[in-house]
Amino acid sequence: MTLVDRAPRHLFFTGKGGVGKTSVACATAVALADAGRRVLLVSTDPASNLDEVLGTPLGPAPTPIAGIARLAAQNIDPEAAALAYRERVVGPYRGVLPDAAVRSIEEQLSGACTVEIAAFDEFSKLLGDPAVTAAFDHVVFDTAPTGHTLRLLELPAAWTGFLEDNVGGTSCLGPLAGLKAQQALYDASRLALVDAARTVLVLVSRAERSALAEAERTRRELAALGVTRQELVLNGLFEATLRTDPVALAIEARGRRALAEMPAGLAALERTEVALLPFGLVGLDAVRALLAPPGAARAFAPARSEPFAPAVPFAPLADLVPDLAHAGHGVVMTMGKGGVGKTTVAVAIARGLAALGHQVRLTTTDPAANVSDTLGAAPPNVTVGRIDPAAETRAYVAEVLATAGAGLDAAGRALLEEDLRSPCTEEIAVFRAFAREVDEGQHGFVVIDTAPTGHTLLLLDAAEAYHREVLRTAGNAPDSVRRLLPRLRDPAFTKIVLVTLPEATPVHEATQLESDLRRAGISPFAWVVNQSLTPLDVRDPVLLQRRANEARYLREVATLSPRVALVAWSDTGATAPLAAPLSPATAPTAQPRA
């Protein structure tokens, strides 16, 4: 019996960035529709690429997918949801309260907390209100990378508990009356999530140690939330067909080692195995091939691309480091889609800056990342940190109680403590920690491995919202928060490195990210194309086709930035190519943008 045969009403797909959640979710949804089921496919990822994979422009409402009867899809757009949520909360007070009071509520609702609760509202309707999805037999959720999915799945209990305990009538989201009306919906969402008859959580992983370790951590945390029905999809499994190709044998051996060391909890789950395909998973034919039998999948293969050989070489990653180090201090941020290697590139850059004699702080904003594991033994001039949401929240609550709560009577202090139990408190605490890390760039180098694209953009949107609030109120925000947005916009202080893979979705998502950053007044410094087969002498048929498919995306990147570094596929990740750059004989070339 297959995953499609076992499918309950709700299917959630989650996992580490880059493991193929969207591809597997799409393939499952298409297979269910082909089997005669009515299916709604929903992305909860702020950086969703369902549109590109399915070849259909999507919006916040279900859209029929051309070429697939009985399949509709939609993206939960956090910004659009926040706009509608703000109007729903503020609307009843227009013309009733003074204009100044209405503006005050609007300002309360301008931050990242509102974006979170608004997106959660949309998610809750799909999960907890059967009437909203009555036209469908199955709802398939393609989620954001693991850390943020866990946050999303924790919210039903978190908001329900907060609403039950809060008696003060207000919160960081303004009046609680609107939220109280949603409490039954949040309760229903939580019950649906933990009901094994209605919901399965599918952990998607690749045969890689880090991806499997994250899947096991997620399995445990979801079980603690009461989500007991879980399955595992192992995606991209590779077996060399040409036993004389050393790269193919190395890829196969790495996968076998990882699977041999798979945590026992994962190994015990119901499992689906999916082979590495020789083509990108964009378009319905490619998506259908993912879950097809091996022979049928191999039968579908697009035409080979022409070799990539323009005139000016891409730099090795090592060549970017002196330019990054030129000012002697500042912030370097690696950004991009989940799974493209932001962490390994950040570690490589931190090691390179340290080798030049600089003091470096290496940290991450990604709840699912662990830069220490990637770094290994740290050089003496590198310190490692991590923005820990739980620790930051405890520290922030203690600070607020010691300052704003110092002069309150018992009743006032109780109301303040009640408000601080809101899940929004964590968003504020994490944002302040991010500002503090950026502030350290005045004393040395801070290299920040960021969360996947959509959540990084929400963090930067929060920076703009907080900056406006600081300018408006001249309140008691820390100096690091006041200085944050100007520093992010200062190319001499902050250097953004966009990391991608030579594949359609990572390149196009990074292209959109660059556009979003420029609209915010932030100019990316360089691109890094990671884990490329192009410089390598591969002979295995699957790898040859994948290498040929890279050419069109390398050409795209070559038009986007005057600085592009290329990192060849390596069994040890991105740090080895920093120490041993590509030889000029094998490095591909590109024409820089004028």
Side-chain angles (χ1 to χ4, degrees):
M1 183 180 284
T2 67
L3 172 60
V4 172
D5 298 325
R6 295 187 296 269
R9 177 165 175 74
H10 305 123
L11 299 94
F12 281 86
F13 290 84
T14 190
K16 181 178 169 64
V19 296
K21 294 182 301 297
T22 297
S23 299
V24 175
C26 286
T28 303
V30 169
L32 286 167
D34 286 344
R37 320 280 180 80
R38 299 167 301 163
V39 184
L40 176 62
L41 175 60
V42 181
S43 176
T44 67
D45 190 342
S48 169
N49 64 313
L50 282 186
D51 308 57
E52 181 172 28
V53 173
L54 297 174
T56 301
L58 300 177
T63 301
I65 302 301
I68 303 283
R70 297 174 296 277
L71 177 62
Q74 72 181 86
N75 289 322
I76 292 180
D77 181 339
E79 293 299 330
L83 183 64
Y85 177 86
R86 279 191 289 266
E87 188 52 38
R88 189 167 70 245
V89 173
V90 176
Y93 297 97
R94 297 189 194 281
V96 177
L97 296 180
D99 289 346
V102 172
R103 283 195 300 273
S104 176
I105 297 173
E106 288 175 332
E107 284 156 5
Q108 276 187 296
L109 299 175
S110 66
C113 303
T114 303
V115 175
E116 177 182 79
I117 191 64
F120 175 64
D121 259 4
E122 299 303 309
F123 162 77
S124 295
K125 291 173 190 173
L126 295 169
L127 184 62
D129 186 349
V132 173
T133 56
F136 302 98
D137 301 310
H138 300 279
V139 184
V140 178
F141 292 90
D142 170 35
T143 71
T146 311
H148 297 285
T149 296
L150 285 171
R151 170 74 174 154
L152 181 73
L153 298 181
E154 287 168 350
L155 284 173
W159 279 109
T160 296
F162 176 66
L163 293 173
E164 287 173 349
D165 296 340
N166 190 298
V167 296
T170 61
S171 76
C172 57
L173 293 169
L176 278 177
L179 286 174
K180 289 281 189 181
Q182 301 295 91
Q183 185 167 358
L185 178 62
Y186 297 168
D187 279 335
S189 298
R190 179 175 52 82
L191 292 173
L193 193 60
V194 300
D195 184 350
R198 288 187 284 169
T199 302
V200 63
L201 198 297
V202 182
L203 300 164
V204 183
S205 182
R206 290 189 181 271
E208 300 169 359
R209 284 194 184 96
S210 62
L212 289 167
E214 185 164 320
E216 169 60 13
R217 180 179 68 85
T218 306
R219 183 195 66 79
R220 293 195 306 267
E221 294 191 25
L222 288 169
L225 290 173
V227 182
T228 56
R229 184 173 176 182
Q230 301 183 38
E231 295 197 20
L232 175 66
V233 171
L234 288 173
N235 188 30
L237 297 179
F238 177 72
E239 183 175 348
T241 56
L242 190 65
R243 309 306 294 179
T244 56
D245 183 338
V247 176
L249 293 176
I251 293 174
E252 179 186 303
R254 182 175 71 172
R256 289 188 184 280
R257 287 195 303 271
L259 292 179
E261 300 167 2
M262 185 190 304
L266 281 185
L269 296 180
E270 193 82 53
R271 183 191 308 181
T272 300
E273 296 187 350
V274 180
L276 179 70
L277 298 180
F279 46 82
L281 289 166
V282 174
L284 295 180
D285 288 338
V287 168
R288 275 197 173 101
L290 184 67
L291 296 183
R298 295 290 179 90
F300 170 74
R304 289 179 181 272
S305 303
E306 292 298 318
F308 177 60
V312 179
F314 282 159
L317 182 56
D319 283 6
L320 291 183
V321 175
D323 289 341
L324 291 168
H326 180 71
H329 67 95
V331 173
V332 179
M333 298 174 67
T334 57
M335 294 186 181
K337 178 178 169 61
V340 297
K342 295 183 301 295
T343 302
T344 49
V345 169
V347 166
I349 289 170
R351 284 189 173 277
L353 292 168
L356 294 177
H358 297 287
Q359 293 294 319
V360 181
R361 177 166 175 79
L362 174 65
T363 189
T364 182
T365 67
D366 188 346
N370 192 334
V371 293
S372 297
D373 289 348
T374 305
L375 178 65
N381 50 342
V382 175
T383 60
V384 180
R386 174 177 173 266
I387 296 177
D388 181 336
E392 294 297 340
T393 301
R394 287 194 298 270
Y396 174 67
V397 168
E399 177 188 330
V400 173
L401 291 175
T403 53
L408 298 177
D409 60 19
R413 188 175 177 87
L415 286 174
L416 178 60
E417 290 173 343
E418 182 179 89
D419 195 41
L420 288 170
R421 287 194 291 272
S422 160
C424 294
T425 299
E426 180 181 303
E427 300 295 329
I428 298 168
V430 168
F431 174 79
R432 284 162 56 103
F434 171 64
R436 189 174 65 243
E437 293 286 4
V438 170
D439 201 51
E440 287 299 309
Q442 62 185 314
H443 306 301
F445 281 102
V446 179
V447 179
I448 303 177
D449 164 40
T450 71
T453 308
H455 296 281
T456 297
L457 285 175
L458 291 180
L459 187 66
L460 296 178
D461 285 344
E464 188 137 21
Y466 274 76
H467 187 67
R468 288 196 304 268
E469 180 69 6
V470 166
L471 291 178
R472 185 186 70 81
T473 63
N476 295 321
D479 287 343
S480 59
V481 171
R482 296 171 180 272
R483 293 191 289 251
L484 177 60
L485 193 59
R487 281 182 165 161
L488 293 178
R489 287 173 169 164
D490 180 358
F493 188 87
T494 299
K495 293 180 171 59
I496 306 295
V497 177
L498 298 179
V499 185
T500 188
L501 301 177
E503 300 170 9
T505 298
V507 167
H508 296 158
E509 188 168 309
T511 301
Q512 183 59 52
L513 172 58
E514 179 179 48
S515 176
D516 291 336
L517 289 169
R518 290 188 184 280
R519 280 200 300 273
I522 301 170
S523 299
F525 174 79
W527 283 58
V528 173
V529 182
N530 194 27
Q531 297 291 283
S532 172
L533 294 173
T534 294
L536 303 178
D537 180 19
V538 296
R539 299 161 197 162
D540 185 274
V542 171
L543 300 187
L544 278 171
Q545 180 65 62
R546 291 183 69 87
R547 186 179 70 176
N549 291 340
E550 292 183 2
R552 62 180 294 185
Y553 305 112
L554 293 175
R555 289 193 189 95
E556 285 187 35
V557 173
T559 67
L560 294 170
S561 176
R563 291 188 185 92
V564 181
L566 190 79
V567 177
W569 181 88
S570 167
D571 193 24
T572 56
T575 55
L578 180 64
L582 304 174
S583 67
T586 59
T589 55
Q591 183 67 42
R593 179 172 59 185

